[in-house]
Amino acid sequence: MHLTLPLLTLSCLLLTVSACAPRYKGPLTDHFNGKKFINPGMPERTEGGLLKWLLHRDKGPWPDQPDAFVGARPATRIQGDSLVLTFVNHSTFLIQTSGLNILTDPVWSERVGPTSWLGVKRKRPPGLRFEELPPIDVVLLSHNHYDHLDLPTLKKLVRAFNPLFITPLGVSYLPKSVGGQTTRELDWTDTLQVNDKLRITCTQAQHFSNRGIFDRDETLWCGYLLHTSFGITYFCGDSGYGPHFKKIGEQARLVTGGEDIKLALLPIGSYRPEWFMAPVHVSPAGAVQAFTDLNARQAVGIHFGTFQQGDDGLFEPVDDLKKALKAAAIPEKQFLVPKEGHPLVFR
C-alpha cells in the first residue's frame, strides 16, 4: 500500500521533530543567551527569505559524472612533519600527519538527511572507499547539519575504529547515540591537548544549527585549529564571511607565539543566491578575503562538488574562485581546488 500524501507529510514531520537536538544548558556568553546560540554581530537574514528562495530557485547545471574518480588505499600512517591531505567529498577530508589520522565532518552515505530516503542525494561518490580507510584516531565535527554530521557514517567509524569525537557544545550526544564512547565538547577558544602530537583549538564560525524543525541554534557550530609538528592547520567547517577570520588568524599567532596558519581549509560552495546565503555560507570571493584575513600561507577549497544545496552549479565555485584570486593578485597555487581521492602533500 502506498502512503497517501497527508500520511507521507505527517511521517516527514514526525521524523524532523524526533531528530531535534536536546537543548544545551550552560553559562551565558557573548554567543549563548541561555536558550540559543547566536552569531555576535551577524546581519539578520531577510525575513521570509527562505520561502522566497524556494519559490524562485535558479539552479545551475550539475551534469552527470559517470567517470568520477575514486582514490587508492591511503598510507596507514604518515610519520614526521609532512601533512597528506585527501579530499573525500564536501567537507570530508582525511588529514595524515605526525603518525595521526584525522577525519573532518565525515560523510559516506548516499543521502544526507533524517533517513536514508529523505534528504539530499550525493552527486559524486566519495573519493576514498570507507573500507580502505587507515585507522582513524580523531574525528572533528563542526556542527550538527546532516551534510556535516552523518550518523550512519559515525556508526561505521565507531565499529571500525572507536575514534575520539570532538564536537562543539551540545553536539556530543550524536556520536554517543551510535556508540561513540570517547567524546569532547568544546566552546569557541577552548583548547584540547589530545596527546603529545596534537593540540586542538575550537574557533568561532558564523553559521547556525538544527537537526529538526524546532531545535534551531540549540547547539553550537565551530571550526578548528590543529596544532601538530607540521604547523597549524585550520578547518573552517561551515561559515559565512565575517570579522572572525581575522580574529582566528590572531588567535593562531597568540597560541603559538607568532606562528601563522600554514594550511587553511575554506568553504567555496553553496553560496548562491548570495542575497540569502551570504550570512552563513562564504562565497569564493569571501573565501579569498578570509584567506587574506587569516594571513595563512596556503588554502584548499572545501564544501563543494558533492551535494547541490545552493543554486550554484557544479563548476561555478571553481570558476568564481579563479576570478576572485585573479582580482586579488593571488596565485592559484596558493588556493588549491582539491580532487576527490587525490592526496595533496604539504611539507
Side-chain angles (χ1 to χ4, degrees):
M1 177 183 289
H2 293 290
L3 287 172
T4 63
L5 183 58
L7 185 55
L8 180 61
T9 302
L10 178 60
S11 298
C12 293
L13 178 62
L14 290 175
L15 280 169
T16 55
V17 170
S18 63
C20 290
R23 176 167 290 177
Y24 171 78
K25 296 179 181 179
L28 301 182
T29 67
D30 68 336
H31 54 280
F32 181 64
N33 62 16
K35 293 184 177 180
K36 291 182 179 293
F37 291 94
I38 58 175
N39 291 292
M42 188 185 89
E44 292 293 329
R45 298 179 84 175
T46 306
E47 188 174 348
L50 176 60
L51 180 60
K52 177 183 175 182
W53 171 50
L54 292 176
L55 291 175
H56 301 92
R57 294 201 67 173
D58 183 22
K59 293 183 180 181
W62 278 62
D64 291 336
Q65 302 160 76
D67 300 319
F69 179 82
V70 177
R73 181 188 295 269
T76 302
R77 301 278 180 186
I78 299 296
Q79 303 294 340
D81 297 342
S82 295
L83 184 145
V84 177
L85 181 72
T86 307
F87 182 40
V88 179
N89 50 215
H90 199 53
S91 295
T92 306
F93 281 82
L94 171 63
I95 302 173
Q96 298 181 282
T97 187
S98 305
L100 296 167
N101 295 321
I102 302 165
L103 279 180
T104 64
D105 288 353
V107 176
W108 263 265
S109 292
E110 189 65 22
R111 288 183 182 272
V112 289
T115 72
S116 61
W117 52 269
L118 179 64
V120 182
K121 187 176 181 180
R122 67 166 56 250
K123 298 287 189 175
R124 291 174 64 88
L128 293 176
R129 296 174 181 86
F130 185 90
E131 296 74 18
E132 295 185 347
L133 285 174
I136 301 301
D137 304 301
V138 178
V139 176
L140 301 177
L141 299 172
S142 64
H143 61 298
N144 70 0
H145 285 159
Y146 291 102
D147 58 316
H148 293 258
L149 197 157
D150 177 56
L151 281 180
T153 297
L154 297 197
K155 189 173 184 178
K156 292 170 69 175
L157 287 168
V158 169
R159 289 177 175 176
F161 311 114
N162 193 26
L164 166 65
F165 291 95
I166 299 177
T167 79
L169 295 179
V171 179
S172 67
Y173 81 96
L174 285 165
K176 288 177 181 176
S177 73
V178 292
Q181 297 176 358
T182 311
T183 63
R184 287 297 299 271
E185 287 190 357
L186 301 179
D187 196 0
W188 294 347
T189 74
D190 283 351
T191 293
L192 172 67
Q193 188 75 44
V194 176
N195 54 33
D196 61 348
K197 297 180 179 179
L198 175 63
R199 187 168 78 256
I200 293 176
T201 301
C202 182
T203 61
Q204 181 178 350
Q206 184 173 289
H207 202 55
F208 67 107
S209 65
N210 70 298
R211 295 284 281 189
I213 59 176
F214 298 119
D215 62 341
R216 174 78 178 223
D217 297 342
E218 292 187 358
T219 62
L220 188 58
W221 46 94
C222 73
Y224 296 99
L225 294 173
L226 284 66
H227 311 271
T228 67
S229 59
F230 165 77
I232 302 176
T233 301
Y234 169 54
F235 171 62
C236 178
D238 215 348
S239 182
Y241 177 76
H244 60 285
F245 286 111
K246 186 165 287 188
K247 294 178 182 177
I248 291 168
E250 295 168 352
Q251 183 179 8
R253 288 187 289 277
L254 181 64
V255 171
T256 59
E259 183 182 349
D260 284 323
I261 292 170
K262 200 167 184 180
L263 175 63
L265 310 183
L266 297 172
I268 61 171
S270 302
Y271 59 99
R272 293 195 187 280
E274 290 193 48
W275 64 264
F276 179 66
M277 292 292 190
V280 295
H281 283 149
V282 69
S283 69
V288 170
Q289 184 59 55
F291 175 54
T292 302
D293 292 352
L294 290 165
N295 201 34
R297 300 184 198 174
Q298 176 73 54
V300 171
I302 71 174
H303 202 271
F304 73 99
T306 306
F307 302 108
Q308 190 173 19
Q309 297 168 304
D311 287 349
D312 36 301
L314 176 61
F315 304 112
E316 278 186 85
V318 178
D319 291 343
D320 285 353
L321 177 63
K322 290 179 179 179
K323 292 175 185 175
L325 289 170
K326 185 177 181 179
I330 296 174
E332 290 183 16
K333 65 181 180 180
Q334 281 191 258
F335 201 133
L336 299 175
V337 177
K339 295 181 179 179
E340 290 94 334
H342 293 272
L344 297 171
V345 180
F346 301 95
R347 302 191 186 280

